[in-house]
């Protein structure tokens, strides 16, 4: 997080290393669920580690099935999946308006649900965490501090921003070690939507503002575009396999670093 968030929208995170100057004799442990090899090096640099020292495990989990469902009717596919798979669920969408729309759809179908985004009180989380509602529909603001063990499915209606974001959010399923699913619903228009978002977020002719570092805009536009391209390539081109011993694709190797296995696909009928 210090690498991705510090450069983009949480510059204060870069000041964390100042704690080391105040407490020079205290050991520092940095933990993250997912990170590319480049980000791992950057985290250590930003935290002023005297030498590189990394403990790493593969984030592949045998009980978690990764699935891409290509469909032009995402809401229909969403309802189909939720009716076929029992248990608690998280549905990730892109914006606040969509959280409410999807929640209302689920409630109309008799599925208990509520929605969460950064503009809401944390109390709604407790209803889901305690099992009073089955489905939480949320933006990517939902996740910090969430450790509900019995989530059976994490479903992305909209593509996440990057492979790192996807695997971190998908990893909230099946923490009890029982069978769980991480599902992306993909439509042909998704790739175009992602890249349009780059142009909208980082326009070529940006009005100068005291709150925006304009000089970094080209760099941020390029890195954001690269992240979107990576998640699209994984979704569209990745050989989602049923045998974890199959040779791993170059995309997975580049992302996972030392991982020797690719995630498995399980069909939800």
């Amino acid at each position: 997080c210090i690498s991705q968030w510090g450069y983009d929208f949480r510059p204060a995170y870069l000041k964390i290393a100042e704690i080391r100057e105040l407490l020079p004799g205290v050991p520092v442990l940095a933990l993250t669920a997912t990170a590319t090899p480049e980000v791992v090096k950057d985290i250590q640099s930003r935290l002023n580690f005297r030498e590189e020292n990394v403990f790493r495990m593969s984030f592949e989990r045998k009980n978690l099935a990764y699935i891409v469902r290509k469909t032009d009717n995402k809401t229909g596919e969403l309802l189909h999946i939720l009716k076929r798979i029992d248990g608690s669920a998280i549905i990730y969408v892109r914006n606040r308006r969509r959280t409410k729309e999807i929640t209302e759809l689920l409630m109309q179908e008799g599925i208990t649900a509520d929605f969460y985004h950064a503009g809401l009180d944390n109390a709604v989380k407790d209803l889901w965490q305690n099992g009073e509602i089955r489905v939480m529909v949320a933006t990517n603001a939902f996740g910090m501090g969430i450790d509900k063990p019995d989530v059976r499915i994490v479903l992305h209606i909209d593509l996440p921003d990057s492979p790192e974001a996807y695997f971190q959010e998908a990893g909230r399923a099946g923490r009890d070690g029982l069978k769980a699913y991480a599902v992306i619903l993909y439509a042909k228009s998704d790739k175009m939507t992602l890249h349009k978002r780059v142009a909208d977020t980082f326009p070529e002719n940006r009005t100068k503002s005291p709150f925006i570092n304009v000089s970094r805009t080209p760099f941020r536009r390029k890195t954001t575009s690269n992240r979107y391209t990576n998640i699209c390539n994984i979704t569209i081109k990745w050989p989602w396999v049923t045998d974890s011993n199959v040779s791993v694709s170059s995309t997975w190797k580049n992302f996972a670093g030392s991982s020797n296995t690719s995630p498995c696909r399980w069909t939800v009928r």
Side-chain angles (χ1 to χ4, degrees):
C1 294
I2 190 174
S3 178
Q4 181 178 346
W5 290 351
Y7 292 147
D8 289 340
F9 56 90
R10 297 196 182 186
Y13 274 49
L14 295 176
K15 297 182 179 181
I16 292 176
E18 295 176 6
I19 296 175
R20 307 203 70 172
E21 299 176 8
L22 299 174
L23 303 169
V26 177
V28 174
L29 176 65
L31 304 173
T32 182
T34 58
T36 64
E38 293 78 11
V39 170
V40 170
K41 291 179 68 69
D42 192 31
I43 289 172
Q44 294 174 88
S45 173
R46 294 296 176 183
L47 292 176
N48 296 334
F49 280 27
R50 288 187 290 272
E51 59 184 58
E52 293 188 3
N53 186 22
V54 180
F55 298 90
R56 179 187 292 111
M57 293 179 62
S58 170
F59 53 83
E60 182 212 13
R61 287 158 50 201
K62 298 295 185 182
N63 67 308
L64 183 55
Y66 295 91
I67 303 163
V68 172
R69 298 299 294 267
K70 295 179 173 63
T71 177
D72 292 323
N73 181 10
K74 290 191 177 185
T75 55
E77 191 68 27
L78 167 66
L79 293 173
H80 168 73
I81 292 172
L82 289 177
K83 289 175 181 178
R84 298 291 295 179
I85 299 176
D86 296 327
S88 183
I90 305 173
I91 299 172
Y92 281 106
V93 298
R94 181 63 194 175
N95 57 56
R96 297 181 179 189
R97 174 180 53 81
R98 201 151 160 78
T99 61
K100 185 176 181 180
E101 292 175 351
I102 296 299
T103 298
E104 290 175 348
L105 170 69
L106 297 178
M107 296 290 284
Q108 290 171 6
E109 294 293 325
I111 299 172
T112 58
D114 210 333
F115 60 96
Y116 179 83
H117 52 69
L120 295 178
D121 188 89
N122 285 335
V124 67
K125 293 182 181 180
D126 296 334
L127 296 175
W128 176 80
Q129 190 91 18
N130 297 333
E132 296 178 49
I133 58 174
R134 179 188 171 195
V135 180
M136 177 62 70
V137 185
T139 63
N140 60 4
F142 184 74
M144 295 291 285
I146 296 299
D147 191 22
K148 184 174 172 61
D150 59 346
V151 178
R152 298 274 64 87
I153 183 167
V154 171
L155 198 148
H156 284 79
I157 291 183
D158 301 318
L159 289 183
D161 287 345
S162 67
E164 294 94 328
Y166 172 65
F167 284 106
Q168 194 162 54
E169 291 163 5
R172 295 183 177 118
R175 291 185 175 180
D176 56 4
L178 302 179
K179 186 64 177 292
Y181 301 86
V183 181
I184 293 177
L185 298 183
Y186 175 77
K188 293 179 181 179
S189 60
D190 284 342
K191 185 174 183 179
M192 184 182 301
T193 300
L194 276 179
H195 287 284
K196 183 179 182 300
R197 195 184 302 158
V198 177
D200 292 342
T201 306
F202 307 109
E204 294 288 345
N205 298 316
R206 181 190 288 276
T207 302
K208 289 188 177 181
S209 165
F211 304 105
I212 298 173
N213 186 346
V214 179
S215 65
R216 289 186 58 83
T217 297
F219 169 76
R220 293 174 65 184
R221 184 190 301 117
K222 184 176 186 298
T223 54
T224 302
S225 180
N226 288 343
R227 290 204 311 268
Y228 290 173
T229 298
N230 286 340
I231 192 64
C232 285
N233 286 343
I234 283 180
T235 304
I236 301 168
K237 301 177 182 179
W238 203 350
W240 299 82
V241 296
T242 55
D243 181 356
S244 60
N245 294 319
V246 173
S247 296
V248 64
S249 71
S250 59
T251 302
W252 175 263
K253 282 184 178 178
N254 290 338
F255 172 68
S258 63
S259 178
N260 295 318
T261 54
S262 54
C264 299
R265 182 182 113 192
W266 301 68
T267 301
V268 183
R269 300 190 184 277

